[in-house]
Amino acid sequence: MASQQSPPPPPPVKSPPPPAPTTVIDLGNDLLREIFLRLPSLPSLVRAALSCRTFLDAVRSSPAFRRSFSAVRPPPLLGLFFDPDGPAIPTFAPIRRRSNPDLAAVVRGADFFLTGIPDDDDTFPGWVIEDCRDGYVLLQNFNADRLAVYNPLTRALDLVPHPPDELFDNSHGDANYLGCYILSPKDGAQPLRLVYTCQDESRARAAVFSSESKEWQIFPWSEPVTPQPEDEHWLKVGTMVNGFIYWVHADEAYIFVLNTATLEFSLMDLPPGFVGRDYMFRVGENKDGELCIVCALVFHLFVWVWRAGLDGIEMWMFDNRFPLERIVEFTRGTLEEHAELWVVDIIGGYVYFSTNETFADPLHPCWFLSLCMETAEVDTIFQKRFDSHIYPYIMAWPPSLTENKVRPQLEGA
């Protein structure tokens, strides 16, 4: 009998290739944004987003994410500009935080020496700060008759001529410069706009510059206030909050207001007891964008908020009181050394304030601190000599992270 041959063995089964490793770049935008929300600060987010196109698109494509990030990680204070009276270039004192190297890198890479602003006279530059917001510094040079809008982080510069002398025409008595402010939007998507204001014996007037038209548009004088002021400088330094500029009257119980959208002037009351005490308080905004007044009284900060009551009528309402005798813990000083508190500015729910030693001894440095009105947390900024006009510089979202490329109907995504 013939022997039977066994069938050939089946060919070996090839194992499927191992799956490609999953990397962080393979994650979807939603998951990436959840991870980004855990970053400690805006500088850290900028560094992460600029590391690759995938990360950048995840941030760019969602305005909702940027709003959420700002709510939990507000844009940080990078330092304070000090603008002394007289012929001196403004100086910048940076925040130093060893625990946040990304913030330190932002400060190192910026032009806070303002070298990008041209000087017509090397020995007398003549630039003074008028406004500081949304990452821009607005400076004015009365000798050169021009303004400069400068971003120290991006080094973007716009030079703007002074408004024409017609702004001061038809004044009642002498007309004086009142203030100039930046109206550009935070995302930089629309043209740069400035508002320049002046006052005469009882009225005010505004002119608006647009980078599109390259021209100033002059608006009519306001109605005269009553009673007529006795002081030619009857309005104190103005503060802009959410598109409105507020000037406290020197002697009367009201605030003079300019709506920069309509360019109309109006009046609003001051809280009781504030007349003639503008040196004790500042106007600003809380975290929710509500108009507020913060008053420093010895070592307490008192907060009033402008809001509607049960009858729907808006008025000043007392909101909170922050006892701050504990600043001795942060400064290792004494209340006697600190004298009292001085409110520098109120931005986005943070009160920037200082102790007041300088007025007792001009050579003795004072402490600069911040208070979060939502949490009552106090943070020490640094110790430095108080030097005239002070402007907190808050980091703005860079245009590279806000250029949204999705369709307009998806902007809320």
Side-chain angles (χ1 to χ4, degrees):
M1 177 181 294
S3 61
Q4 295 182 350
Q5 294 183 348
S6 57
V13 179
K14 293 183 177 180
S15 301
T22 301
T23 67
V24 68
I25 297 179
D26 298 315
L27 301 177
N29 280 351
D30 290 340
L31 188 54
L32 282 174
R33 289 191 282 261
E34 285 295 323
I35 296 172
F36 290 159
L37 280 175
R38 289 159 174 77
L39 292 173
S41 65
L42 178 58
S44 300
L45 176 65
V46 173
R47 182 178 180 182
L50 296 181
S51 64
C52 73
R53 172 63 64 178
T54 300
F55 293 178
L56 182 59
D57 287 343
V59 176
R60 276 181 171 176
S61 61
S62 179
F65 163 76
R66 298 196 293 272
R67 290 191 295 269
S68 298
F69 190 93
S70 294
V72 296
R73 302 283 188 271
L77 174 75
L78 298 185
L80 303 178
F81 274 106
F82 291 80
D83 193 5
D85 290 324
I89 283 286
T91 61
F92 183 77
I95 299 292
R96 296 181 179 273
R97 294 290 184 267
R98 295 180 182 178
S99 60
N100 193 335
D102 293 330
L103 188 148
V106 171
V107 174
R108 285 196 303 269
D111 179 24
F112 287 118
F113 289 115
L114 306 179
T115 60
I117 299 175
D119 293 331
D120 298 310
D121 184 341
D122 292 339
T123 60
F124 187 79
W127 290 103
V128 295
I129 296 179
E130 299 291 345
D131 193 18
C132 187
R133 70 183 64 250
D134 301 335
Y136 291 93
V137 182
L138 172 63
L139 301 103
Q140 183 162 202
N141 191 318
F142 290 98
N143 298 320
D145 288 332
R146 61 180 172 179
L147 300 143
V149 183
Y150 189 58
N151 187 325
L153 299 183
T154 65
R155 290 174 168 77
L157 172 67
D158 288 279
L159 295 175
V160 178
H162 271 164
D165 293 339
E166 286 77 11
L167 174 65
F168 301 93
D169 286 353
N170 303 316
S171 64
H172 293 170
D174 293 333
N176 302 295
Y177 169 70
L178 190 53
C180 191
Y181 306 87
I182 302 170
L183 299 182
S184 59
K186 293 183 179 180
D187 59 9
Q190 298 180 20
L192 167 72
R193 295 173 66 235
L194 304 177
V195 59
Y196 195 100
T197 58
C198 67
Q199 63 178 9
D200 66 10
E201 292 180 348
S202 61
R203 304 174 303 168
R205 194 177 197 180
V208 173
F209 175 86
S210 171
S211 59
E212 279 190 331
S213 65
K214 305 292 184 183
E215 294 180 350
W216 288 94
Q217 181 181 3
I218 300 176
F219 289 82
W221 287 98
S222 68
E223 293 297 320
V225 299
T226 55
Q228 300 295 309
E230 296 181 1
D231 185 353
E232 63 175 343
H233 300 289
W234 51 282
L235 295 178
K236 298 300 182 177
V237 176
T239 301
M240 189 163 78
V241 179
N242 292 327
F244 290 81
I245 305 174
Y246 301 90
W247 294 275
V248 177
H249 195 289
D251 303 310
E252 301 293 334
Y254 64 79
I255 301 174
F256 202 62
V257 185
L258 172 63
N259 183 335
T260 62
T262 64
L263 278 301
E264 295 178 348
F265 291 92
S266 61
L267 305 179
M268 66 185 303
D269 294 331
L270 266 177
F274 277 50
V275 181
R277 298 182 178 179
D278 57 280
Y279 59 93
M280 295 176 57
F281 66 89
R282 291 292 298 263
V283 178
E285 63 173 340
N286 62 17
K287 184 179 179 181
D288 298 324
E290 293 178 304
L291 181 69
C292 68
I293 282 178
V294 177
C295 174
L297 186 59
V298 192
F299 288 94
H300 290 72
L301 295 181
F302 297 86
V303 182
W304 281 259
V305 176
W306 182 260
R307 58 169 62 125
L310 296 177
D311 55 4
I313 299 176
E314 290 187 310
M315 63 182 70
W316 289 109
M317 298 183 179
F318 178 73
D319 185 67
N320 211 338
R321 176 179 70 92
F322 298 96
L324 294 176
E325 293 93 343
R326 58 196 176 99
I327 64 171
V328 296
E329 302 172 13
F330 302 97
T331 63
R332 299 178 183 177
T334 66
L335 297 181
E336 289 74 18
E337 291 172 343
H338 295 326
E340 59 183 345
L341 300 183
W342 178 274
V343 179
V344 172
D345 213 338
I346 310 115
I347 304 173
Y350 284 83
V351 182
Y352 300 98
F353 64 99
S354 73
T355 58
N356 225 3
E357 297 102 327
T358 299
F359 295 98
D361 181 358
L363 299 179
H364 188 73
C366 59
W367 283 94
F368 290 86
L369 307 98
S370 67
L371 166 75
C372 175
M373 289 191 285
E374 182 179 35
T375 65
E377 181 180 355
V378 177
D379 188 24
T380 304
I381 299 176
F382 47 59
Q383 189 183 32
K384 188 181 183 302
R385 190 171 68 87
F386 198 106
D387 203 354
S388 196
H389 311 288
I390 302 171
Y391 299 86
Y393 184 86
I394 311 295
M395 179 181 176
W397 281 75
S400 57
L401 266 63
T402 59
E403 293 173 356
N404 184 25
K405 296 187 176 181
V406 299
R407 296 188 301 274
Q409 59 267 33
L410 298 180
E411 282 214 350

